[in-house]
């Protein structure tokens, strides 16, 4: 827009900036209001996590009281023999491990669907795209029944295995391979006598760094947010992810001998941090991934 | 490429399709199979419960279960109100971002995406506390009880809108960025106001993005579970066990231990969601 800003129209206003002062003020006002709506609740959470139980009740919710964050953190990490740390590690296992395997499987499948023309490829692609429409929550009960039969319920595999297979990730990977892996390069490698496995691991995966990062990130976020699947599958609290643990604390909040409100709020804030850091650091990837997804 | 190479190429997709068969196809088929049986107490109801074949009995029961259909109607009515409001906000955010410089837009875009970075259950928990008359700041400010039975849907709608608006904005804004800029310049030369350009040029251009976000939102809303579950913890008399279809399935399975019926309801719900998404897609595409 700045490139055309120097061009003047007949009435002296720059092209592309013909808005009046009032409409510009309205635009900025609107942006400000939406930003406030998006951020204020998180601000409240940050402020509350620094407060003691009584300050939470008796001081203004949107500003700090006596700074009690260290005490709250101490409580979060020690309550119930430090079970919170266990939940954090579990969340990283489910989100990270699940996403890593999912990325590898999806890259291979995306590469196969994009660069080869075997029989059944069309059907496979239709299956992938068609199953976008199957919502995960609707699959959870059927999965539970099957896993119960197989004795997988209440094991980490009950949460990990479903994370490995994601039709959306395969579709995303295929779109990236379409754009990032030139067929001529593959042909040249074949002529040079490279095996198919070697071509995939040494050429395709290297060209697909951006695509892989996007697939991994979106899968990681999806798994980190997971709640219904672990709630259905997991019984023992030592296997729970953070989402389930915080939910359980919230349930016991009023029944436990100590009020757990500060624990729930401080724990919630901690649950946001890894995800927020990860997403801000890699926002280039997921922003492109989301836009790509919308092009289907 | 030789047939051998093609075959090797096909093998790269084998892990996915084997996993897909095991984790999508087989569970669904197994759920259909399970729903053909019912647990019955033998004799006078004192003997051990046995699984007996009842054919499509569970499906017939589900299709005529008014509680289930009430839950479907409840989330559908909710979707009809909440989704247009949320998408209108997302569209407004995207249009506002599109009318300022790139630098300003990027800063606000990140702010709008803050809710997207919050894990779903944490967002719901956080809002439960914000709504709480005892702890939250909102009741002090407005004097409103957000858990009152007639307001529960509004409170839940606000929560879902807060969570989803930023993400939908991203898709709409992405589509908006793809519109050739010259069109706007030409319209401005012709004397069109910014508002006019937004209404007559920009919105028609992002139609398909709105259809997509609309469809994703419908699918999401029909399966809401986390948010009503948390509301249920606070006001169990308003948010009943069968408040939403997925909640009903969950409680049928784990509260009433009727897994066979839960399986049948899952299949029925999957079909309903499929049909509604198709209809939505057809209708919005025909109108184009």
């Amino acid at each position: 827009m700045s490139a055309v800003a120097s061009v003047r129209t007949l009435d002296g206003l720059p092209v592309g900036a013909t808005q009046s002062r009032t409409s510009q003020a309205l635009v900025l006002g609107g942006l400000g209001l939406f930003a406030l709506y998006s951020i204020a609740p998180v601000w409240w959470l940050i402020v509350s996590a620094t407060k003691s139980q009584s300050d939470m009740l008796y001081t203004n919710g949107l500003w700090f009281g006596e700074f009690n964050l260290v005490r709250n953190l101490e409580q979060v990490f020690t309550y119930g023999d430090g079970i919170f740390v266990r939940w954090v590690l579990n969340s990283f296992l489910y989100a990270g491990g699940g996403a890593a395997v999912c990325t590898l499987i999806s890259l291979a499948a995306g590469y196969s669907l994009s660069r080869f023309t075997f029989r059944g490829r069309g059907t496979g692609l239709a299956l992938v795209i068609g199953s976008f429409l199957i919502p995960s929550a609707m699959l959870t009960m059927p999965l539970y029944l099957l896993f119960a039969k197989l004795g997988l319920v209440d094991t980490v595999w009950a949460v990990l295995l479903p994370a490995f297979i994601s039709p959306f990730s395969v579709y995303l990977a295929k779109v990236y391979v379409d754009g990032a892996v030139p067929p001529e390069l593959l042909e040249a490698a074949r002529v040079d006598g490279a095996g198919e496995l070697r071509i995939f691991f040494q050429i395709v995966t290297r060209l697909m760094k951006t695509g892989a990062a996007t697939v991994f990130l979106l899968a990681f976020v999806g798994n980190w947010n997971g709640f219904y699947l672990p709630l259905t599958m997991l019984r023992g609290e030592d296997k729970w992810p953070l989402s389930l643990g915080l939910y359980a604390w919230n349930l016991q909040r009023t029944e436990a001998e100590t009020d757990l409100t500060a624990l729930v709020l401080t724990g919630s804030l901690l649950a946001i941090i890894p995800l927020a850091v990860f997403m801000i650091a890699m926002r280039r990837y997921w922003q492109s991934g989301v836009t790509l997804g919308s092009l289907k | 490429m030789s047939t051998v190479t093609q075959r090797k190429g096909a093998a790269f997709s084998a892990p996915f399709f084997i996993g897909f068969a095991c984790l999508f196809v087989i569970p669904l088929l197994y759920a259909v199979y399970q729903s053909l049986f019912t647990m019955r107490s033998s004799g006078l109801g004192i003997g051990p419960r046995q699984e007996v074949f009842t054919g499509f009995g569970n499906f017939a029961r589900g299709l005529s279960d008014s509680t289930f259909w009430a839950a479907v109607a409840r989330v559908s009515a909710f979707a009809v109100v909440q989704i247009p409001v949320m998408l209108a906000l997302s569209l407004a955010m995207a249009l506002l971002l599109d009318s300022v410089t790139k630098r300003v837009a990027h800063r606000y875009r990140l702010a709008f995406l803050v809710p997207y970075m919050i894990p779903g259950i944490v967002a719901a928990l956080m809002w439960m506390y914000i709504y709480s008359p005892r702890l939250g700041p909102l009741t002090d400010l407005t004097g409103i009880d957000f858990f009152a039975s007639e307001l529960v849907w509004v409170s839940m709608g606000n929560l879902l809108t807060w969570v989803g608006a930023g993400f939908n904005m991203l898709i709409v804004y992405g589509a908006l960025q793809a519109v050739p800029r010259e069109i706007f310049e030409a319209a401005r030369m012709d004397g069109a106001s910014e508002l006019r350009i937004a209404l007559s040029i920009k919105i028609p251009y992002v139609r398909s993005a709105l259809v997509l976000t609309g469809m994703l939102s419908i699918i999401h809303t029909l399966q809401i579970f986390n948010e009503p579950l948390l509301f249920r913890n606070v006001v169990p008399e308003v948010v009943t066990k069968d408040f939403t279809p997925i909640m009903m399935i969950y409680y049928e399975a784990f509260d009433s231990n009727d897994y066979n019926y839960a399986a049948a309801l899952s299949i029925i719900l999957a079909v309903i969601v499929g049909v509604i998404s198709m209809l939505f897609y057809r209708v919005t595409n025909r109108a184009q």
Side-chain angles (χ1 to χ4, degrees):
Chain A
M1 224 178 224
S2 55
V4 289
S6 55
V7 183
R8 302 265 154 180
T9 52
L10 287 176
D11 52 357
L13 279 165
V15 174
T18 45
Q19 296 151 290
S20 66
R21 282 262 164 83
T22 13
S23 72
Q24 243 166 0
L26 278 176
V27 166
L28 285 178
L31 286 170
L33 274 181
F34 281 129
L36 186 71
Y37 178 56
S38 306
I39 293 175
V42 184
W43 171 251
W44 177 85
L45 181 65
I46 295 172
V47 169
S48 298
T50 67
K51 286 183 178 174
S52 66
Q53 208 82 46
S54 66
D55 270 9
M56 234 176 260
L57 281 173
Y58 302 115
T59 58
N60 179 359
L62 295 172
W63 198 249
F64 299 95
E66 196 188 328
F67 196 78
N68 202 45
L69 178 63
V70 180
R71 171 93 192 83
N72 285 346
L73 285 174
E74 207 180 304
Q75 258 196 306
V76 166
F77 286 111
T78 52
Y79 184 81
D81 293 330
I83 190 78
F84 188 81
V85 180
R86 185 73 195 245
W87 293 339
V88 173
L89 294 177
N90 287 343
S91 272
F92 273 107
L93 169 70
Y94 298 141
V101 177
C102 174
T103 305
L104 188 62
I105 290 178
S106 303
L107 279 193
Y111 168 61
S112 162
L113 290 171
S114 169
R115 287 290 170 250
F116 296 90
T117 46
F118 50 90
R119 206 188 324 160
R121 176 183 163 276
T123 322
L125 201 55
L127 261 183
V128 167
I129 294 175
S131 40
F132 281 14
L133 286 182
I134 305 178
S136 54
M138 257 149 251
L139 263 176
T140 304
M141 191 53 63
L143 267 178
Y144 173 82
L145 295 172
L146 183 69
F147 283 0
K149 188 87 187 162
L150 299 174
L152 286 174
V153 165
D154 204 20
T155 66
V156 291
W157 296 108
V159 179
L160 266 179
L161 286 176
F164 292 164
I165 301 299
S166 157
F168 179 71
S169 301
V170 172
Y171 175 76
L172 207 57
K174 182 197 168 287
V175 173
Y176 273 107
V177 176
D178 286 344
V181 181
E184 305 79 39
L185 193 67
L186 302 176
E187 270 319 304
R190 276 186 201 115
V191 171
D192 287 347
E196 290 301 321
L197 269 180
R198 189 156 160 220
I199 291 177
F200 177 70
F201 281 107
Q202 296 207 334
I203 301 175
V204 178
T205 50
R206 275 189 203 164
L207 290 170
M208 286 286 294
K209 267 186 198 146
T210 309
T214 309
V215 170
F216 178 84
L217 185 87
L218 292 177
F220 184 95
V221 172
N223 297 341
W224 189 272
N225 287 346
F227 174 72
Y228 186 53
L229 182 72
L231 176 73
T232 308
M233 298 289 182
L234 303 177
R235 299 287 168 268
E237 64 169 15
D238 56 325
K239 298 181 204 77
W240 287 352
L242 262 177
S243 58
L244 209 49
L246 289 171
Y247 171 73
W249 272 358
N250 184 57
L251 270 186
Q252 303 157 9
R253 181 164 64 93
T254 39
E255 292 146 28
E257 58 270 42
T258 47
D259 192 330
L260 299 185
T261 306
L263 281 188
V264 177
L265 290 175
T266 313
S268 294
L269 187 63
L270 290 174
I272 295 175
I273 292 170
L275 200 61
V277 167
F278 197 40
M279 287 183 83
I280 290 175
M282 296 180 76
R283 70 171 180 277
R284 188 160 68 87
Y285 297 106
W286 57 270
Q287 282 173 350
S288 76
V290 167
T291 325
L292 268 177
S294 69
L295 292 179
K296 84 168 183 193
Chain B
M1 263 183 273
S2 68
T3 340
V4 181
T5 315
Q6 295 297 1
R7 217 169 280 159
K8 282 181 185 164
F12 279 106
S13 59
F16 172 76
F17 283 110
I18 291 169
F20 185 81
C22 295
L23 294 161
F24 280 72
V25 182
I26 294 175
L28 284 175
L29 291 179
Y30 187 62
V32 172
Y33 171 77
Q34 284 274 299
S35 56
L36 300 178
F37 294 87
T38 305
M39 294 299 272
R40 286 263 170 81
S41 308
S42 55
L44 299 164
I46 26 176
R49 275 154 52 93
Q50 272 181 334
E51 211 164 38
V52 284
F53 182 80
T54 46
F56 291 104
N58 277 316
F59 286 104
R61 186 179 151 202
L63 289 172
S64 59
D65 188 336
S66 58
T67 349
F68 179 68
W69 290 103
V72 173
R74 201 175 285 127
V75 287
S76 305
F78 178 64
V80 166
V81 179
Q82 187 260 333
I83 293 174
V85 170
M86 175 175 68
L87 292 185
L89 287 183
S90 304
L91 180 64
M93 285 176 176
L95 287 172
L96 287 173
L97 284 181
D98 197 52
S99 62
V100 293
T101 60
K102 270 256 149 62
R103 205 166 47 88
V104 178
H106 282 186
R107 206 173 300 150
Y108 279 101
R109 183 175 65 172
L110 194 61
F112 295 169
L113 283 169
V114 164
Y116 180 54
M117 300 179 195
I118 313 285
I121 199 78
V122 171
L125 272 174
M126 181 178 80
W127 274 98
M128 285 304 114
Y129 285 96
I130 293 178
Y131 285 147
S132 153
R134 209 167 61 92
L135 284 167
L138 281 184
T139 306
D140 287 347
L141 285 172
T142 59
I144 298 170
D145 175 12
F146 290 90
F147 292 114
S149 59
E150 65 277 10
L151 271 182
V152 159
W153 278 117
V154 179
S155 308
M156 216 181 283
N158 171 57
L159 165 55
L160 287 174
T161 304
W162 186 81
V163 170
F167 173 77
N168 290 314
M169 173 281 295
L170 196 61
I171 295 179
V172 177
Y173 184 61
L176 213 46
Q177 294 294 294
V179 184
R181 298 280 117 175
E182 304 84 62
I183 298 180
F184 305 150
E185 299 306 331
R188 282 190 193 108
M189 292 291 195
D190 289 345
S193 68
E194 291 300 319
L195 189 66
R196 186 65 208 267
I197 292 174
L199 291 178
S200 316
I201 304 179
K202 292 183 178 175
I203 293 182
Y205 254 100
V206 297
R207 250 192 74 95
S208 60
L210 286 174
V211 169
L212 174 84
T213 50
M215 204 152 90
L216 294 176
S217 306
I218 289 176
I219 294 175
H220 178 77
T221 305
L222 289 176
Q223 55 168 338
I224 48 171
F225 177 78
N226 301 1
E227 296 81 6
L229 186 71
L230 285 177
F231 272 90
R232 183 171 158 71
N233 295 339
V234 183
V235 277
E237 67 285 355
V238 180
V239 181
T240 50
K241 278 190 216 172
D242 38 37
F243 201 66
T244 76
I246 292 283
M247 274 177 84
M248 178 165 174
I249 291 171
Y250 179 81
Y251 281 105
E252 280 295 338
F254 298 112
D255 203 43
S256 317
N257 287 319
D258 197 344
Y259 295 100
N260 309 86
Y261 189 44
L265 289 183
S266 298
I267 303 287
I268 295 175
L269 187 60
V271 172
I272 295 173
V273 172
V275 169
I276 292 183
S277 314
M278 293 287 234
L279 280 180
F280 179 78
Y281 191 71
R282 281 271 173 82
V283 169
T284 46
N285 267 358
R286 192 170 297 158
Q288 210 156 27

